[in-house]
Structure formats: C-alpha cells, structure tokens
Amino acid sequence: MSSQPSVPVDVDVARLREVLDGPWVEVREAHRSELDDSFLPVYGESGDQARERITGLLSRLPVTMGMPAAFPAEYGGRSDIGASIVATEMLAQVDLSLMVKAGVQWGLFGGAVLSLGTRRHHDAYLRDIVAGDILGCFAMTETGHGSDVQQLRTTCTYDPATQAFDLHTPHQAARKDYIGNAARDGRMAVVFAQLITNGQRHGVHAWLVPIRDAQGNPMPGVTIGDAGPKAGLLGVDNGRLSFDHVTVPRDMLLDRYGQVAADGTYSSPIADDSRRFFTMLGTLVRGRASVGGAAAAATKVALTVAVRYGDLRRQFSSPDAEREVLLNDYLAHQRKLLPALATTYALHFAQAELVAAIDEVQGGDGPVDERRQRELESRAAGLKAAQTWHATRTIQMCREACGGAGYLAENRLPGLKADTDVFTTFEGDNTVLLQLVAKGLLTGYRDEFGSLDGWGRASFVAEQVREMVLERTAARALIERLVSAVPGRDEEVAVTDRGWQLKAFEDRERHLLDGAVRRLRNGASTKKDRPFDIFNDVQDHVLAVAAAHVDRVTLEAFVAGIEATSDPAVKALLSRVCDLYALSVIETHKGWFLEHGRLTPARAKVITAVVNNLLKELRPQMGTLVDGFGIPQTWLHCAILREEADRQEAMAAHDAAGDPQTVAA
C-alpha cells in the first residue's frame, strides 16, 4: 500500500455524477428538469420584490420529489426523509432564499407538527401544510436566548377553569426573533415555551398557534414585526413575534412527548426533563443536516463558477507561449481551488452517509433507537459546523479567484456569499454545536445526560468521564484493516498510504480527547465548587477535539465512498482527491503534528511537496470534478462565464489575424 493509483486521462463525467448523485438520483433529476430559469435569483430586486417572487414560487416546487417528500403519503408526501434533505440541497443550488423559505415551511414548521404532534394534529393540518395552503413559522429563538433553548422565557400556563393555555411574552428579551415566514406570510406558528401547569414548570414544549386571521391581520394579543433588512436571503420574511396573554386551546399542545389532562395533570412517556427535551429536539435533527447540505451545495456552485472561469481567463504571458497563461495553470490558483474542491468532495460523502443514516433511523414505523439518535444528533451538529464554515471560506476564496468580476452581482458569487453567511449561525451556532459534539464523545457523560443539556456537575466529571470509545461511522472493517496494516515506523510509509492517513487523523482525535479528559478530571479535583470554571477552562481544548473528530469521520466517509465505487477510472480519480483532502488537513495542522512528535520536519516537507505534485496531477481534472456536481448550466446564472468565453474567442481571432496591438484581457 505504498500509494494510490494515478489519475486516468479520461474519466467519464456521467459515471462520476452517478457516484455523487447517490441513491436519491431521481430527486436530483426531478429538480434539474423541473426548475427552469424562472426559479433563479433576480439580481438587483428589492426586498419586497424578492419576498413576493419567492412566495409565488413555493407552489411550483416538486412535492413528492421535493421537500414535502418526508411527510406520509396519506398527507401528500411519500415518507422519504432522505429525499426531503436531498431536495433541500438541490434548491440551494438554484436560490437560497427559496430553499430557506421552503425549509421553514416543510422542514421546520411542518416537520415540528409531524414529529411533535399526534394523529389529531396530523389529520387537521398536515395536508394543508404540505399543499402550502397553510404557511407557518417555527418560533423557537428568542432575543435573549438563541442557542440555549432550555432557558427560553416565553411561558404557556394552563388554566383548568378555561381548559386553555395562556401564552405570554413576559419581557422584551423573550420576544421570538429572526423567525422565517413571520413578517409577511405565516398564518400559524409552532411556538416553543415553558409549560406551566398546577404551579409547576415542565420544561420547553411546543404549541400550534394561529398568528394571523384569514385577512392577514394579527390575531388578538399577537404582535408581529419585521426583523429588518438583512445582508442576504432577501426573499425570506424574517419577523418578530410577541404574545400578550394569548389564549391557546389545550388540544393545540403538540403532545407526543408531554400531555396535559383537563384538570391540569401533566404526564409524559419520558420522566426526565432533560432527556425529554433532548428527545423532542432530536426529532428535528434533519434541520441541521439540511442546512449543512445546503451550504455544501452552494459551495459547489461557487467552485464551479471559479474553476470554469479559471479555465477561460488568461493573465500574463509566459516566455515560451504565444498566449497568456490560464489562471488555473498557476500553482497559486491551484492551491486555492483544488484543496477546497477536495474538501467539498470529502464533505459530500460525509453528508451522503449522514442522510442515509437519518433516513434509516427516523424513516421506519417503529420506535427510534435512542443511542443511534444521539449519534446522529452529534454527527449532524459537527458536519453542519464544518460545512457552513467551509462554505464561508470557500465562497470568499472563489470571489477573490474571479477578481473584480467576482464582485459583480450578475456573477452569482456575491449573492452566494451573502446568503450563506448566516448558515454558520442558524440551526445552532457553530461553536455551540462543536461543544455538543465534544460532549457526545465523552463516554459516561452522554450516557448520563444526553448531548443537549448543560455541562453537568463537577462531581460527575471526576466519577464518570472515561476514555473514548472510538466509533467508526462507515466501512468499519475496511478502515480497521487499513489502519492495522500501517507499520510502526511512520517514515517507512508513503504519505499517500491510506492507512497512514487514517491513522494520523485517528491519532490526533484520540490524543486531543485524552488530553481533554485529563484536564476535566484535574479541574474537578481542584475546582469542585465551580463547575462552570471546570468546563470553561478547557473550552478551547474541547472545540479542538470536536473539529478533529469531524475531520476523522469525514475522511472515513470519503474512504467508504471510494470503496463503494465500481468504475475504475472514477475510483482512481476519487482516490487522488482523497489524498489531497487528507494531506491538506494534515498540512493545515502541521504545527500540532510537529509539536506532538507525529511528524518530523523532513516528513512535513515531504507532505508539502506531495500536495504540490497532487495539484499538478489533478489540474487536468478540475473541470471534470466540478462537472461531476451535475449543476445545470442555467442554474449557475453567471454572466462572466458567457462573456469571458466570447472575449477569449475574439482575442484569439484578433491575434491570429496578425494585429500588432496588444489586446487587454
């Protein structure tokens, strides 16, 4: 296993696309064929125009092959959760405002009614929600509490005398804020609040609450405002909601996990408040998977624009060439685009594996396996953080790679940059999500508390945090065989050996986690009465643990995807892209590997040299790699690609005619 096979000259793009399209190819093809240029962003439109346009497009989106596919067939879907998430990715390549608007309607609002409600709620509302006849909101985030959902201040208090709840916003910090669909279109909202009955609090629950009447006016006691101008997502009507003692009938409590009897008696199939809270939010895990997948899809659009432009645009002459040099022929340009492409491929396979797991765990009729649900929650959180941060970095890099033209709205990149920026924040702030991932890795911690509650007690840390049990996410037998085959001396193994790469990722994660456990234990022995300080003092360490974990599971997913690929040429190409991903990550964290004796200075230099060689080897395949994403030319919606091709053709003709004047690019 000294190295991976070299890249064949000819790779069939159609076969590469088959691998990337995966099991939900029919969903992808339905969107490619049904969404024409009328669905694309309109450059220069106002916020009001964008909202009007996006709302009008909702009714034209695919249903059984689109986001509503997750709903049961009896309500207009097809009970296909995976199809719903893949549809989100496809919409993100067309218009991110349309994707977010649809995601609020069918993913968050409709998904909450489906997951948290019972049969009576489903029969009463789901058909109209799926059809888009009832537009709704997901009212969770408050001005004063975004990530810390357990501490929401909105209250919903049951009164046995009226057989109804009193929904109330006690102060300004409890106002529901940034709520999609609220400012303009929403008629109902799933509102999250603290449930109080018989003088006792039972934690956060959800209610289905009308917020507008048939004429679009706010319901009594409901105050609706606009969140104001945003950096992007102009077509999404984010708003604010406040409730002044609004009466909510008892049967509007979404009571799958918590019931209130007519006399105010509370009951739940899950006795522990924290576990119940985790279970309620765990049913909505596909929201984070959808956001991460959408960010990755937008990144693919940006890379396609930048790579194709780099294969057209010429700058500066070479002494031995008659024409100026293509941007993509410069090593500096390859250093920008190809590692980002490799990471995008790696994250694609990690996302595909996550979607398949969610579909398997949540798509059945039986009870959800709690252990696997926790694993999904942690993995979705970590991948969402990785994908959205990668989108932010890569789209900016693509903008710069296209020069001044990349700053023009007509070339798509500014819109992608503005629209995806908030993805690092919504559906969970990325820094908070990485802490959730780290907590999930602490065996004993997650067994005792789950992954969504607070950090816990100091005494717990001393007694129950144990060593990590490394869990494989994909192709377990293959990964273990590759790792176990690596000789003991690193210098005897090529850096392109897949087992060595996997072992390096695994070793970094294991070392970081072991160190975090030691620091937590030491803190517990010296700061017994200060549990906040115990965890706060190692916060930087646990974030590093989580990031290393995401890198490792992403690489394993990529390796598993390659193993499942049958076409030899495609497999060879993906293997070299995987080399570039793995070595780019190691190169980025070269300081850590050197500090901890995992690399010698000489071997670190070898990695840089191998990366540069990989860039040269993959340079002819840059176009193939972006073509494999299968983004229709129309969807790119980028003037620069048309204009630059025409300009280069005219310049070539001009030069061929023997004109002595130099033609500026």
Side-chain angles (χ1 to χ4, degrees):
M1 294 189 305
S2 61
S3 63
Q4 304 300 326
S6 59
V7 179
V9 176
D10 296 319
V11 177
D12 189 337
V13 173
R15 300 302 298 272
L16 175 60
R17 187 177 302 170
E18 286 178 13
V19 173
L20 296 183
D21 277 352
W24 284 278
V25 59
E26 76 279 10
V27 175
R28 299 186 189 277
E29 288 298 339
H31 284 77
R32 289 168 182 152
S33 63
E34 295 182 33
L35 304 189
D36 56 25
D37 57 5
S38 67
F39 285 87
L40 296 172
V42 176
Y43 300 131
E45 66 183 345
S46 68
D48 287 341
Q49 290 170 331
R51 290 178 177 186
E52 182 73 25
R53 177 178 60 83
I54 292 298
T55 302
L57 291 174
L58 279 181
S59 61
R60 296 174 52 197
L61 291 175
V63 177
T64 57
M65 291 290 184
M67 280 197 204
F71 294 93
E74 60 187 303
Y75 302 117
R78 62 174 194 172
S79 299
D80 193 336
I81 293 173
S84 177
I85 300 174
V86 169
T88 303
E89 297 172 18
M90 300 307 291
L91 283 184
Q93 294 180 345
V94 179
D95 188 324
L96 285 156
S97 281
L98 183 58
M99 183 282 296
V100 172
K101 182 85 171 179
V104 170
Q105 172 65 19
W106 291 303
L108 293 177
F109 171 62
V113 175
L114 176 63
S115 298
L116 303 180
T118 51
R119 184 77 190 196
R120 70 174 185 277
H121 303 112
H122 299 168
D123 289 344
Y125 299 105
L126 281 187
R127 291 183 187 86
D128 287 338
I129 290 172
V130 170
D133 294 330
I134 295 178
L135 297 183
C137 319
F138 185 82
M140 176 182 284
T141 300
E142 294 179 359
T143 306
H145 285 88
S147 298
D148 190 3
V149 178
Q150 278 188 296
Q151 302 303 318
L152 295 179
R153 300 302 178 88
T154 302
T155 59
C156 207
T157 306
Y158 183 70
D159 181 1
T162 61
Q163 301 277 292
F165 289 92
D166 179 79
L167 177 64
H168 186 58
T169 304
H171 47 71
Q172 189 74 359
R175 180 186 66 192
K176 299 296 180 181
D177 219 339
Y178 319 119
I179 310 302
N181 265 0
R184 180 182 185 274
D185 294 323
R187 285 175 48 198
M188 303 189 80
V190 172
V191 180
F192 290 80
Q194 301 286 349
L195 189 155
I196 303 172
T197 180
N198 291 333
Q200 183 176 356
R201 287 184 177 238
H202 295 279
V204 174
H205 289 64
W207 288 259
L208 189 57
V209 181
I211 60 171
R212 284 185 173 90
D213 61 22
Q215 288 71 45
N217 301 309
M219 296 291 286
V222 179
T223 299
I224 302 176
D226 197 306
K230 308 187 297 292
L233 299 175
L234 297 185
V236 183
D237 53 324
N238 295 91
R240 296 163 173 160
L241 299 172
S242 295
F243 306 96
D244 185 10
H245 296 290
V246 173
T247 298
V248 181
R250 183 170 66 93
D251 62 4
M252 297 299 269
L253 169 67
L254 298 176
D255 58 353
R256 180 177 178 182
Y257 297 106
Q259 302 82 40
V260 175
D263 65 356
T265 301
Y266 179 83
S267 61
S268 171
I270 305 173
D272 181 77
D273 287 351
S274 290
R275 193 172 296 278
R276 183 190 320 117
F277 175 74
F278 163 78
T279 302
M280 289 175 64
L281 292 197
T283 60
L284 307 176
V285 64
R286 64 178 179 267
R288 282 179 183 149
S290 296
V291 169
T299 305
K300 292 172 184 175
V301 175
L303 282 166
T304 301
V305 170
V307 167
R308 290 188 181 176
Y309 182 66
D311 269 337
L312 293 171
R313 180 70 167 178
R314 296 176 179 272
Q315 285 282 275
F316 303 105
S317 298
S318 171
D320 57 349
E322 296 182 359
R323 301 194 65 190
E324 292 174 303
V325 179
L326 287 170
L327 292 183
N328 283 348
D329 287 339
Y330 288 103
L331 175 63
H333 215 68
Q334 296 164 14
R335 271 275 179 181
K336 292 178 181 180
L337 294 176
L338 275 167
L341 255 176
T343 301
T344 302
Y345 263 75
L347 290 171
H348 174 94
F349 284 102
Q351 172 75 5
E353 181 188 301
L354 174 63
V355 172
I358 292 174
D359 188 76
E360 178 185 350
V361 172
Q362 296 189 350
D365 296 328
V368 173
D369 184 299
E370 185 174 338
R371 182 188 63 83
R372 293 201 64 192
Q373 177 66 28
R374 289 186 182 184
E375 292 174 358
L376 288 179
E377 174 67 30
S378 179
R379 205 185 330 166
L383 277 178
K384 184 264 181 184
Q387 289 166 313
T388 55
W389 271 328
H390 177 61
T392 297
R393 291 190 301 267
T394 302
I395 294 171
Q396 172 64 22
M397 178 272 295
C398 289
R399 204 292 299 158
E400 294 178 18
C402 292
Y407 195 62
L408 297 178
E410 67 178 5
N411 293 322
R412 190 70 188 280
L413 295 170
L416 291 174
K417 188 172 183 294
D419 288 346
T420 57
D421 191 53
V422 74
F423 282 31
T424 61
T425 300
F426 70 42
E427 285 295 317
D429 177 89
N430 282 357
T431 300
V432 175
L433 292 184
L434 285 186
Q435 292 179 80
L436 186 155
V437 173
K439 287 185 285 185
L441 295 173
L442 297 172
T443 59
Y445 190 100
R446 82 179 155 194
D447 295 339
E448 179 73 12
F449 289 104
S451 57
L452 285 175
D453 61 336
W455 272 106
R457 305 183 305 275
S459 60
F460 162 75
V461 178
E463 297 166 2
Q464 291 182 270
V465 171
R466 303 188 297 274
E467 297 298 317
M468 176 183 73
V469 176
L470 192 65
E471 294 177 344
R472 306 287 185 198
T473 60
R476 292 168 177 80
L478 169 67
I479 302 298
E480 290 170 359
R481 186 175 74 249
L482 290 172
V483 171
S484 63
V486 179
R489 294 173 58 88
D490 282 351
E491 58 268 26
E492 297 176 356
V493 189
V495 297
T496 52
D497 182 280
R498 188 72 71 229
W500 180 85
Q501 295 165 358
L502 289 161
K503 186 174 181 293
F505 277 54
E506 176 182 313
D507 183 54
R508 173 171 160 249
E509 178 188 356
R510 191 185 299 275
H511 181 93
L512 285 167
L513 185 54
D514 286 346
V517 169
R518 285 194 301 271
R519 290 182 64 186
L520 286 168
R521 285 173 173 163
N522 291 338
S525 64
T526 59
K527 307 182 184 77
K528 291 183 178 180
D529 299 326
R530 292 178 289 155
F532 172 80
D533 290 340
I534 294 172
F535 290 100
N536 196 48
D537 288 350
V538 299
Q539 192 173 43
D540 59 335
H541 200 139
V542 299
L543 291 174
V545 169
H549 172 74
V550 175
D551 287 342
R552 194 260 300 173
V553 299
T554 299
L555 177 59
E556 289 187 358
F558 201 167
V559 172
I562 294 170
E563 181 68 12
T565 300
S566 58
D567 184 275
V570 172
K571 192 169 188 174
L573 174 60
L574 292 176
S575 292
R576 297 309 264 167
V577 174
C578 187
D579 282 338
L580 181 57
Y581 167 69
L583 296 180
S584 295
V585 172
I586 294 173
E587 188 179 46
T588 298
H589 297 283
K590 188 186 297 183
W592 185 92
F593 284 98
L594 286 167
E595 286 175 3
H596 293 82
R598 267 61 176 184
L599 285 179
T600 63
R603 197 164 178 81
K605 292 178 181 178
V606 168
I607 288 175
T608 297
V610 171
V611 167
N612 285 341
N613 287 333
L614 282 168
L615 299 178
K616 294 177 183 177
E617 186 177 351
L618 289 170
R619 163 62 185 101
Q621 302 294 342
M622 291 174 74
T624 298
L625 289 171
V626 296
D627 288 349
F629 296 145
I631 304 171
Q633 181 68 28
T634 302
W635 287 10
L636 295 178
H637 198 31
C638 180
I640 194 176
L641 297 182
R642 300 187 301 271
E643 294 170 357
E644 189 61 29
D646 293 342
R647 186 157 47 243
Q648 293 298 334
E649 184 178 346
M651 287 173 61
H654 196 271
D655 292 347
D659 193 304
Q661 292 185 341
T662 299
V663 181

